[in-house]
Amino acid sequence: MVKPVIVIGAGICGISTAIWLQRSNFEVLLLDKAKPGTGASYGNAGLLAQWAIVPVNEPSILKQIPRYLIDPMSPLFLKWSYLPKLTPWLIKFLQNANSSNSNRTIEALIPLLTDSVQQHKSLTEGTAAASWIADSKFSYAYRSLKDFHKDSFGWECKKKVGMIPEVFTGNLVQEVEPICGSFIDCLAVISGQGHIVNPLGYISELMKVFFNNGGKFVSAKVEDFGFHGEKISTVYTDNGHFECEKAIITAGIWSKELMRKLGLNIPLEAERGYHVVYKNASILPRNPMMMTIGKFGVTPMGGDLRCAGTVELGGIKFGPSKAPVRLLRRRVAEAFPKMTYDETEEWLGFRPTAPDSLPLIGQLKESGVYTAFGHQHIGMTSGPKTGRLISDIINNRSPNIDMSVYDPNRFNL
């Protein structure tokens, strides 16, 4: 009897990994305690963020943090009661906020992100899931040209990978994006981008592809792992135990607890992200945008406008906070004063982030256990590429990028 490869976690990284493995003729069993695509993959802005190569902990954040924590309209929030537990991770996170480490992270993110639109198209080629991918431009919205110039570090990084913006100011802003009011006086627009028109719909369609390829899904919470010698042999869940050839952990923030069951303490924290969806909006942007005041994405999805982003540090046990949603609503009202809508929907999700802002992609020593989690803001963007890399590693195909920077053993050497 052929034992399956078990993929734990049915978000974009998990389903992408499963499909790529199926294309290499592996039998795949997908496990998740929740409905596929209802975690962090559900509520993101749907952006294929090929441009997101600059990490949050880039050098200037050290100067900005004091202001961010005082200003209620900053894009960074903190649950103060969580600070004692957060401190060890936060120290490591800020230790990486220097030019050397930041440049190393940027160089590692470039091959993971900059071909993301094509990676999604390759994953979905010949399937109905391809219809959920839209080609688009992407605009950075600034209050002024001066603010655009202040963002020079990020734009110099993008310039190195060929992303050079076309800059519009004054009345030209409204010609490019009629939704914008006078609050936005500068748009920096890059071409050749893309987005997902509905993340949950996309994951649901990918699940159909998985099933059509003979895949099996079991709703189950993983409770432990069994080994034969040094190799994984069994995954134990609250819905039975399953023998396997290999296991891949793609469970987002929940991967931290699964790694503990393997005796590994991974410094993974949740960047709590929020969204507000404006239902049946009277006007929509022509292309997705990044509101640089507030640092959140704005994406048209059908007749709705989804505004998603911000960073709140506070673990996974606290409920939603009011301040990040208040920020989103205020900045949207300022930027799009002409927009009306029927109602709104709010959401909170958890983006898993390592101190060096890089995901964990690879095999845990020679255990047959692989990891594909820790993608911070870029999970939807890099899920297909991550799945392809894991499939290559399992098939003993050498990826054409340096995988050492994503090594999951780097925190437990």
Side-chain angles (χ1 to χ4, degrees):
M1 179 178 173
V2 177
K3 295 180 182 179
V5 174
I6 294 180
V7 178
I8 305 166
I12 185 62
C13 289
I15 188 60
S16 297
T17 300
I19 291 173
W20 279 117
L21 286 170
Q22 286 179 322
R23 291 180 181 174
S24 294
N25 298 316
F26 284 93
E27 181 182 333
V28 183
L29 173 62
L30 189 57
L31 304 177
D32 202 309
K33 62 183 180 180
K35 183 179 177 182
T38 56
S41 293
Y42 167 80
N44 62 76
L47 302 173
L48 300 185
Q50 301 184 137
W51 34 266
I53 58 177
V54 181
V56 171
N57 54 342
E58 52 93 7
S60 70
I61 195 173
L62 293 173
K63 294 180 180 179
Q64 296 172 349
I65 278 182
R67 177 175 60 83
Y68 279 166
L69 295 179
I70 294 172
D71 183 1
M73 283 293 111
S74 83
L76 177 63
F77 301 87
L78 177 65
K79 289 279 191 185
W80 289 98
S81 59
Y82 187 72
L83 185 58
K85 191 170 183 179
L86 175 70
T87 296
W89 177 90
L90 188 59
I91 290 172
K92 293 186 179 77
F93 185 75
L94 294 177
Q95 284 174 340
N96 281 285
N98 59 72
S99 295
S100 176
N101 287 350
S102 184
N103 287 335
R104 174 180 174 273
T105 299
I106 291 167
E107 290 301 314
L109 290 175
I110 286 172
L112 196 61
L113 297 182
T114 51
D115 63 347
S116 296
V117 174
Q118 185 54 51
Q119 290 292 332
H120 278 263
K121 290 180 178 180
S122 295
L123 178 71
T124 61
E125 186 176 5
T127 76
S131 65
W132 296 87
I133 304 168
D135 292 310
S136 53
K137 296 181 180 180
F138 188 74
S139 300
Y140 281 76
Y142 294 93
R143 293 193 65 178
S144 67
L145 183 61
K146 181 179 179 181
D147 289 328
F148 165 72
H149 288 307
K150 286 180 181 178
D151 215 1
S152 60
F153 175 78
W155 285 111
E156 283 300 313
C157 293
K158 295 178 185 66
K159 182 178 179 180
K160 293 176 183 177
V161 294
M163 296 184 193
I164 300 172
E166 189 173 3
V167 180
F168 301 90
T169 59
N171 293 335
L172 291 177
V173 168
Q174 284 70 40
E175 289 187 24
V176 174
E177 283 291 359
I179 190 174
C180 291
S182 59
F183 184 78
I184 304 300
D185 197 54
C186 177
L187 286 181
V189 184
I190 49 179
S191 301
Q193 307 303 305
H195 66 281
I196 303 301
V197 297
N198 183 297
L200 181 59
Y202 183 49
I203 299 292
S204 299
E205 200 65 51
L206 288 173
M207 284 298 296
K208 293 178 184 177
V209 175
F210 172 68
F211 289 135
N212 289 339
N213 291 338
K216 297 178 181 178
F217 172 77
V218 175
S219 178
K221 179 181 179 181
V222 173
E223 296 182 332
D224 210 347
F225 300 92
F227 288 80
H228 182 72
E230 299 295 320
K231 293 285 188 179
I232 184 77
S233 61
T234 313
V235 176
Y236 296 94
T237 80
D238 62 357
N239 193 14
H241 67 275
F242 305 91
E243 293 186 353
C244 63
E245 179 185 346
K246 294 175 173 62
I248 305 156
I249 299 174
T250 66
I253 191 62
W254 315 109
S255 301
K256 183 176 183 178
E257 185 60 33
L258 295 176
M259 296 291 277
R260 282 202 186 108
K261 296 179 187 299
L262 295 167
L264 300 174
N265 183 24
I266 301 298
L268 199 69
E269 276 294 340
E271 289 185 36
R272 295 156 56 93
Y274 292 79
H275 85 206
V276 177
V277 175
Y278 294 81
K279 300 282 191 175
N280 194 26
S282 62
I283 184 171
L284 295 167
R286 292 171 174 168
N287 291 288
M289 307 169 69
M290 170 63 69
M291 309 307 297
T292 61
I293 304 296
K295 298 190 185 304
F296 59 91
V298 173
T299 312
M301 294 188 178
D304 302 335
L305 183 67
R306 178 175 293 190
C307 303
T310 72
V311 172
E312 182 184 47
L313 300 174
I316 61 176
K317 295 183 178 179
F318 292 103
S321 301
K322 294 181 179 179
V325 172
R326 191 159 51 237
L327 166 69
L328 288 170
R329 290 183 179 278
R330 175 175 166 179
R331 295 309 188 200
V332 168
E334 291 171 335
F336 311 139
K338 294 174 283 189
M339 183 183 73
T340 60
Y341 49 91
D342 290 347
E343 58 182 339
T344 60
E345 168 194 284
E346 298 175 2
W347 174 87
L348 163 65
F350 308 114
R351 298 170 297 204
T353 304
D356 57 6
S357 296
L358 291 174
L360 289 77
I361 307 172
Q363 184 177 193
L364 295 172
K365 297 185 178 178
E366 300 298 324
S367 64
V369 178
Y370 299 77
T371 62
F373 63 82
H375 291 75
Q376 34 110 351
H377 304 79
I378 57 170
M380 178 58 73
T381 302
S382 59
K385 182 72 168 274
T386 296
R388 195 171 201 164
L389 291 170
I390 289 290
S391 179
D392 284 346
I393 294 168
I394 289 176
N395 281 285
N396 296 312
R397 295 190 295 259
S398 297
N400 61 353
I401 64 175
D402 177 13
M403 293 298 296
S404 66
V405 289
Y406 319 118
D407 187 354
N409 301 289
R410 67 187 187 268
F411 298 112
N412 288 277
L413 295 175

